[in-house]
Amino acid sequence: MSPLLKIRAERDQMSAIERRIADYILENAHLLRDYSSQQLANALKISQSSVVKFSQKLGFKGYPDLKYSVGESIARGDGETNGSAEPVRDDPHAALAESLWHRKSQAEQETRLINPASRIDAIAAAIDAAGKVFVIGLGEDGIPARAFAIRLSLLDILTVHHFDPVLMAAGIAGASAGDVLFAFSEHGNQPALCQIGRQFRERHGKLVSVTRHTANALCTIADFPLLVSAHDERAHIEPLLYQSALRHLLDMIFVLLCERGERLAQLDGNLERIRAMLEH
C-alpha cells in the first residue's frame, strides 16, 4: 500500500498540524530522504514529537520507516504527488487527458483504500435482501443518486427515489425492517437528510451515507458509511475527481449485485425491453 496514497486518503481526518505535515510530505516526497525528523520539524516550525506521532498514526514504527516507505513508493512510481503524469506526446490535449486520468485514478485508489471490501459486500447484501431501497440526494448530489436508483431498478430492485426531503419523509413512512436508504450528501451536513436518516433507522432500516471522507453528521449515524476521497487545489478539477471516484465506488456495488442470483438475467431482460421500446 503506497504511503502517499494513504496520506492523501486520511488527510481530511487529520488535525491541523497533521495536515501541515501531510501536505509538506506530499509536495516534497522526492526530497524526504534528505530530511531527518528534526529537520522536517524545523521546516514546519513544529515539534519533533509531532512528526514521530504522525508517522506512528499512519501505522509506521517511526519517521525513519515512513521515510523509507515513501522512498520505495517513489522508486516504484506509486502515488505521484505533482498532480500529473509525464505526457508521452506533445499534443496539449493528450497531456491534459493524461493528467486528468492520472488524478482520477489516484482519487479512485484513495477511495478504495478507505472503504473496506467487507463494507462493500455488506452493502450489496443489504440491498439484495431489502424489500425496498430508498434513494435521495439534494442539489448536485441528486445526479448520482438518480443514476444509481435507475441502475437498481434495472435489476428489478424496488427503488423509491426522491430529490425532495419532504417527499422522502412521507415515503419512508412505508419503510419496513431490512429496507435500505441511500442518502447522498457530499459534505454530509444537511439537517433534513440527517433527520430522515434517523427516522429511517427508527423503523429498523439500514442507512447508507454517501459523503466525502470527512467528519460529518450523516456518516456518523449511518449503518454503512460510503466515503469518497478526492482532493485537488484547483476548484474546477476537484468536483470531477469526486464524481469519478464516487461513480467507481457505486459501480463496484452494482457489479456485485449483478453477480447475485438471477440479477444479471433480470438486467438483460429489462435492457432488451427498453431497446425494443426505443426502436419503435
Side-chain angles (χ1 to χ4, degrees):
M1 179 189 304
S2 165
L4 300 177
L5 283 177
K6 185 173 180 61
I7 289 171
R8 276 195 296 268
E10 296 294 335
R11 185 186 179 280
D12 284 346
Q13 300 284 31
M14 295 177 181
S15 67
I17 289 178
E18 289 169 345
R19 285 197 297 272
R20 286 175 60 195
I21 300 172
D23 292 342
Y24 193 88
I25 291 175
L26 291 172
E27 293 169 7
N28 302 280
H30 59 294
L31 302 175
L32 203 63
R33 65 171 181 261
D34 300 323
Y35 279 70
S36 67
S37 59
Q38 185 60 64
Q39 288 171 321
L40 180 57
N42 291 342
L44 292 170
K45 294 182 173 56
I46 59 176
S47 67
Q48 184 182 19
S49 63
S50 294
V51 175
V52 175
K53 290 177 181 177
F54 174 85
S55 305
Q56 293 172 339
K57 189 172 181 179
L58 288 173
F60 297 94
K61 293 180 180 179
Y63 174 74
D65 286 340
L66 171 61
K67 181 169 69 170
Y68 178 76
S69 182
V70 169
E72 280 196 323
S73 179
I74 293 173
R76 292 193 304 266
D78 299 339
E80 295 89 337
T81 61
N82 60 6
S84 64
E86 186 69 24
V88 298
R89 297 180 294 278
D90 293 330
D91 180 353
H93 285 182
L96 175 62
E98 288 164 2
S99 172
L100 186 58
W101 174 86
H102 179 73
R103 294 296 292 124
K104 286 182 176 181
S105 178
Q106 285 183 334
E108 290 165 6
Q109 285 181 301
E110 294 163 20
T111 297
R112 189 165 63 251
L113 178 66
I114 58 178
N115 291 278
S118 58
R119 184 184 304 163
I120 302 300
D121 288 338
I123 291 172
I127 294 173
D128 194 46
K132 296 182 291 295
V133 177
F134 298 82
V135 181
I136 185 170
L138 310 182
E140 290 189 8
D141 292 307
I143 298 173
R146 180 174 181 271
F148 187 62
I150 291 172
R151 287 190 168 201
L152 294 183
S153 297
L154 289 173
L155 296 176
D156 278 358
I157 295 171
L158 180 56
T159 307
V160 180
H161 168 243
H162 287 299
F163 52 84
D164 184 322
V166 175
L167 293 177
M168 182 56 82
I172 64 172
S176 305
D179 287 349
V180 175
L181 168 63
F182 271 78
F184 287 72
S185 177
E186 181 174 353
H187 300 289
N189 293 320
Q190 292 158 314
L193 290 188
C194 292
Q195 183 177 353
I196 288 171
R198 293 189 187 94
Q199 292 173 352
F200 190 78
R201 294 194 67 197
E202 288 173 0
R203 295 181 172 275
H204 305 289
K206 299 295 184 182
L207 173 61
V208 181
S209 63
V210 185
T211 72
R212 277 190 175 273
H213 182 38
T214 57
N216 65 76
L218 188 59
C219 76
T220 300
I221 64 172
D223 297 283
F224 304 112
L226 278 178
L227 305 169
V228 179
S229 177
H231 311 287
D232 199 285
E233 294 180 355
R234 297 163 292 179
H236 63 296
I237 297 296
E238 189 169 59
L240 305 181
L241 305 185
Y242 176 83
Q243 293 158 15
S244 177
L246 172 57
R247 176 64 180 268
H248 188 72
L249 189 59
L250 296 175
D251 285 349
M252 289 178 60
I253 295 173
F254 176 74
V255 171
L256 287 173
L257 287 169
C258 286
E259 295 173 352
R260 285 177 172 267
E262 301 297 320
R263 296 293 187 195
L264 194 56
Q266 293 164 336
L267 174 65
D268 290 340
N270 286 328
L271 290 177
E272 183 59 37
R273 281 189 286 275
I274 291 172
R275 280 193 291 268
M277 290 175 60
L278 293 176
E279 289 172 358
H280 291 85

